[in-house]
Amino acid sequence: MNLSLLIILPFITAIVILFCNGLKQVRTVALIGSAVQLIMAIMLLIQYWNERAIGNISQMVFEYSCVWFAPLNINFHIGVDGISVAMILLTAFVVIAGVLVSWTMETLNKEFFFLLIFLSMGAYGFFISLDLFTLFFFLEVAVIPKFLLIGIWGSGKKEYSAMKLALMLMGGSALVFVGLSGLYFNTNINGTHSFDVMQISKMHIPLEAQLLFFPFAFVGFGIFTALFPFHTWVPDGHSSAPTAASMFLAGISMKLGGYGCLRVATYLMPDAAHAYSWVIILLATIAIIYGAFATMMQTDLKYINAYSSVSHCGFVLLGIGMLTQTSITGAVLQMVSHGLMTALFFAAIGMIYSRTHTRMVEQLGGLLKVIPFISSVFVIAGLCSLGLPGFSGFVAEMTVFMGSWQNPDTMYRTATILACASIVVTAVYILRAAGKTVMGPITDEHYFHLTDATWNEKLAAIILITGIVAIGVAPFWLNDLVTPGTEQIMQQLAQAISLK
Amino acid sequence: MGASKIIFYIISTFILGTGILAVTATKIFRAAIWLLFSLIGIAALYFWMQLEFIAAVQIIVYVGGIVVLIIFSIFLTQKSGDEMPKPLQQRKLFSLFAVFFAFAFTYLLIHQYGFYSSNPQPFELKISDIGMQMLSTTEHGFILPFEVVSMLLLAAMIGCIVIAMKAKTE
Amino acid sequence: MINEITLTDILFVSTALFFIGVYGFFTRRNMITMLMSIELILNSVNINFVAFNKYLFPQHLDGIFFTIFIITIAAAEAAVAIAIIINLYRSHRSIDVEDASELKY
Amino acid sequence: MNNYSYISLIPLLPIATFLLLGLFGRKYFSSLSGIIGTLSLSVSAFLSILTAYKYFFVDGKVNGVFQQIIPLKYTWLQFSPTISIDMGIVVDPLSVMMLVVITFVSLMVHVFSLGYMKGEERFATYYAFLSLFTFSMLGLVLSTNIFQMYMFWELVGVSSFLLIGYYFDKPSAVAAAKKAFIVTRFADLGFLIGILILAFHAETLDFQTLIARLTDPQSSQILSSVTSSLFGVSALTWGLTLVFMGGAGKSAMFPLHIWLPDAMEGPTPVSALIHAATMVVAGVYLVARLFPVYCFDVSALQVVTYVGAFSALLAAVIACTQTDIKRVLAYSTMSQIGYMMFSLGVSKYGGEEGLGYMASLFHLFTHAFFKSLLFLGAGSVIHMVHSNEMKDMGGLRKHMPITHITFLIACLAIAGIPPFAGFFSKEEILLAAFHSNKLVFFVALFTSGLTAFYMFRLYYSIFWKKAAHLHGEHHDEGTFTMKIPLVILGACALLVGFVPISQFITSDGIGLETHIDVIFSITPVALAIAGILLATSLYKNENDRPIKISLAFGKFYEAAHKKFYIDEVYLFIIQKIIFNLIGRPAAWIDKNIVDGLMNLLAFITAEFSEFFKGLQSGKVQSYALYFFAGIFGLAVLFIYLVK
């Protein structure tokens, strides 16, 4: 399969959108484009399985490389392993759901869908890049549209939020770039430097360089994935963003960071990952616990989900920081699971908001009676968030816990227990929100006239729930998909230890 | 100490004294007059250096031209007797400070470098030489700058007229 | 004789004059007086040219030429400056630099 | 021995029903959904009983021991090469017994609900949730893997949440549902960490392997789990105690019992299913499942004993003072589960010493029948008088004869009067306690007297005391479907005591000969009769003695009535400590300090740029000054500093 299609297709879709007239054409094109993306992602999965089934054991499959800028040895090098395939699937699911929930976007719809599709292109490019420069390039491609999406179509204090988000993410990118440059200049292949992930992974970067540049790369990517204390863009950004943008932001964009932490920071600088793992654990644990407690005090549904994202993304970082194979697999599962789950949550919140015009928990009530479908979606998202078996959240969190516990260090154990404790707090805030919003008596008589979900909203929710349940009920396929990828990372890490 | 030296000191003191007065006088007309004296002093310094031609040019252009021009413009824009607005105290102090240190620094450099005349060969300035070299096209000729300056003067003249011309009332 | 006075002495005069001009340029708020300060600065430069020429390179005339050109250009500059000042006076009824601060940001 | 493959149908039928009814029930067959649910469950129940028959009587014992059969097992999630979650089904005496109990009681509840819930708007949803619950519970007892059990454990929790919160527009129901979920979730945290500890040391999650490794004194696993310790307590003890914490949460043991009384907000048949027979005994089941390991670690087992005994006593005392009939039943459940727990706790592994284990599960078995009968009877009463309060009842024996008789049978059973079911099981428990722990024995004895007292207090308050004053129209006893389960369960409550459980379910799988020690039984039966007589004298007819007595007890009565203020303590901890001391500061810190730092950074940058903007003042002289300073600075730099 030609992976470039994953970039070209959204690009063409985006261009075609520019030549459309009226909302109907625009959204039809966007829907077709995203549906084709989804089909391609699923085909990629099948072809990947085929490839593995016929005995292809190379680390990356469907590799393709061509020179982009020879003087600096930058190549357009793409390829996927199981982790990337999982992330691409996630992106495709979220994109189509995002397009569907924005079905009735009124203002500047052409630009809106253009940016959405453009953003997805950045995400795909990021996940398939095997060249650090192109990786960075696509990371940037994915950042800029967010600023516009929030700044133009947002609500509340959107300028502030858009600015904050863009600045913090740009700051993150800047750190990432320092880290990447550091890697680049510490490589030496026949006298030239290299950006190529596969080449860098085969050589040993000097320890001092790793210790110096790992924090840059990790914190830089960490900002994307709400690393404490750089998570403050998350609540403001999510709450001001339009529904689809929130879904993209939490569902895809935060995963760019997690993927980067794994693929670039941990994989390429294994010694430093060992050296700094306690810092990562510390920050991740703080993020988990403190995010959960901060969520408990929120009254705005979007803030609740945003803070819970901080907490849940903490699991990703915790999984990465624990440096055991199971925990890293868990981190990837958590990325996929959180992406789908939080997108669903935001979609449900968006649907509620578009009907009731409020997101305040105390103003809502009894919605299950008037809009049962949306309320059920909301409850399902909540239950997934609190880690109910049968949904993806459980699988991911348990894998992280199980993996973390394999690390026998007392401090790491303590961190694991604290992280486990957060599931109780999660239950508290999710039930509090769900109990007040969808259950209880109806608080406003206007609510009696609300209409339930339209076909597009139903479709969006069903697509996401399908993904969640597919992982929750039968996690083995995703686990098997991801494990070879994490094994490679573990080998890197094991080599790092043995070299010491 | 020779007479020449004494004369030099007198001229120098005159130049600097009137210069200082020119930049500190509170009435603008007086400032212009002190400037005039300072320029005349500089002409005297040229005389002292036996460069009569330059001294003459100095007097003709500066004293006779520019200062008169300035005085005209003062008449056009000001009431000559008025006190000028005082400079801000803070800026004055700061400028004084900056200027003093810059001067000390510069002079220190000059002093350290120590210019010594390479050869005591006497310097004679013939006006004919100036004329010849000015219009010569050889290696040390100044014909091109001369032409450029001519153009500049022309341009300045036209520019002055355009700028200063009253805009037509619509 | 002239040799009793070294080049450094003359340079002292010109430097001092230069900084007097600079001081005037900084502190004067009236544009015409600022122009006068510039004239002083130009003159101090002229002195330098002449003195260097006379003391260090008696066989050449380049310093003299520079002085002549500077005087010429100073004349042109003064003319233009005064034209600008008068124009400014017409629009602002003032030739105080503090009043003409549109040139910012 | 793979002839049990149909057994997967037992849990799969309810889940299929759940999906069918949950997705389409509301729209397409709302009135039919009850029938569908009941039918599918009756198939399950039939299969369960078939399995039991086959397992106990056809296959029987091999070498004198009932074999553990695993007809189905596949890897669900591979954590690491050694540790994986397997989905499987285990068939052994314990799970088969639970299978029968669950499907049977669930079937009764399904049938009862046909009448009780008739006309509800969300009838289909109700049956969907019931099916979900039954599925989860069946999955729980059939688990081969401790993590599989944890998953179903959680699912049980959520389906109980959904059922308790069935009347979701009633704020108290929502609050109760939340409370139940959160408290059990907190307990599950312990369970989870316990699992992590056990899994780490045993290097497996599979029950069979886990038990084998952790009970073999020579294995490296037991060595690692006993030697590594925290705060002087070995990892094994920690693990088992934490696992028990999970069990205690679900089984409403002190101090995690606070959710149970509130959970009575759910529909009454739900209480009969969840809070009498199935979910609340999950903790007992869990300890029983891991019993060989518990036996290996005495300290963990002692925790189980004392928590169980204390809960039994506490609940019995509180039950005497409650006026809401369902709450009385709830506390009585808690008390009876306390019996089961300490009975496990005083037991040892194998042979005569393992009497407690057998007795506990026997009691679990009998209790399921008479307690669900009590709840269904209470449901029937509530259906009639539309109230949960004792003061609205009285003299109902004429109006609802079937309910009256069956309720009486159940009361006698729970009080331990021969020959009703409760007598036999309680007898064994007391015997087991007598042989190993005298303190626990006396607590149990006293509690059994109390039990008889408060049960008959309840009975008399409902059916005697005063003349019925009913208002409203239809006051029949309920539909046919409501009466049938009462009769069936009543018959069971009479008869199940004669089931020779001791032959089937013992700690080591070898049958145990038990006999009724008549001399020994005199004391408890006498105490029970004394309790009944006391209740008769106080409550049969209306009089002011109960009030006098309660006044005589004074503060103690008040405290018991207020459930010993445990709810208030929790509320204080949650409200004051968790919310105000952790949550609020966390939110505040985030908003003001962490975010504040970010904003400060932005502010500093903005101020900095404001300053630089100020340099661009439009004032020529300032520019000249900066220019001059710049030149000066550069000159100094280049001349002196850069050589």
Side-chain angles (χ1 to χ4, degrees), chain C residues 19 22 25-28 34 97-98 100-101 103-105, chain D residues 613-614 616-621 623-626 628-629:
Chain C
F19 285 109
V22 169
F25 187 77
F26 287 162
T27 52
R28 291 296 198 176
M34 283 170 73
V97 275
E98 303 283 319
S101 60
L103 188 76
K104 67 175 169 185
Y105 304 156
Chain D
K613 199 170 86 172
Q616 193 92 347
S617 59
K619 303 206 164 112
V620 186
Q621 285 174 318
Y623 294 171
L625 204 55
Y626 306 143
F628 183 74

Side-chain angles (χ1 to χ4, degrees), chain D residues 9-79:
Chain D
L9 273 182
I10 297 175
L12 287 183
L13 274 172
I15 188 72
T17 317
F18 163 68
L19 291 177
L20 183 72
L21 296 181
L23 292 179
F24 310 109
R26 210 179 151 89
K27 234 177 205 163
Y28 302 107
F29 28 75
S30 60
S31 52
L32 265 179
S33 49
I35 309 286
I36 294 173
T38 312
L39 279 180
S40 102
L41 200 73
S42 52
V43 175
S44 279
F46 171 73
L47 287 176
S48 308
I49 292 167
L50 187 73
T51 312
Y53 171 73
K54 230 169 103 172
Y55 183 77
F56 287 123
F57 300 109
V58 177
D59 290 350
K61 296 183 183 180
V62 179
N63 303 329
V65 178
F66 283 110
Q67 295 298 305
Q68 194 172 55
I69 302 166
I70 295 178
L72 191 76
K73 185 163 153 181
Y74 66 91
T75 304
W76 191 69
L77 183 60
Q78 190 85 38
F79 283 134

